[in-house]
Amino acid sequence: MFDFILDLVMKYTPLEAWEVDTESRLREDLKMDKSDLFLLRNELGKMLETEVSEEDMNEVVTVMDLLKLTEKYAKM
C-alpha cells in the first residue's frame, strides 16, 4: 500500500522518491500547497472509487496519515 501512496504523492511534489518516507509532512517537507492537496484528494477518491471527505483530508499531515486514510476508505 505504501508504494501506491508513494506513486500518488510523487505526482504532487518536486522531491525525489528516496526523499519521502512515512513521516514526511505533506505541506512542510513535500512542498505541497492547497491546490496540490485538492488534486491529491480527488485522485485518491477516483482510485478508491469513493469521495474522500474534505474533513478527513484536512486531518492528514504526514504520508503515514495519508496511508491510514487510504486504508480506512479501502475498507468501506
Side-chain angles (χ1 to χ4, degrees):
M1 183 67 81
F2 177 73
D3 291 335
F4 167 80
I5 294 300
L6 181 61
D7 289 342
L8 184 60
V9 165
M10 293 313 300
K11 294 178 182 181
Y12 302 100
T13 182
L15 303 178
E16 299 294 327
W18 61 267
E19 297 176 278
V20 179
D21 63 28
T22 57
E23 298 305 313
S24 298
R25 295 170 297 172
L26 301 180
R27 291 172 183 86
E28 295 86 354
D29 300 331
L30 303 183
K31 313 293 186 231
M32 291 185 182
D33 61 21
K34 191 173 184 173
S35 65
D36 294 327
L37 295 172
F38 175 80
L39 294 170
L40 177 70
R41 178 173 65 98
N42 286 342
E43 188 163 349
L44 182 60
K46 286 178 187 175
M47 291 178 162
L48 296 172
E49 299 179 349
T50 188
E51 185 173 334
V52 177
S53 77
E54 188 173 344
E55 293 80 22
D56 282 345
M57 194 65 187
N58 286 338
E59 295 178 14
V60 172
V61 175
T62 65
V63 172
M64 179 57 81
D65 295 337
L66 186 59
L67 184 59
K68 289 177 182 176
L69 180 66
T70 302
E71 290 174 348
K72 171 187 167 183
Y73 275 88
K75 291 178 183 178
M76 295 176 108

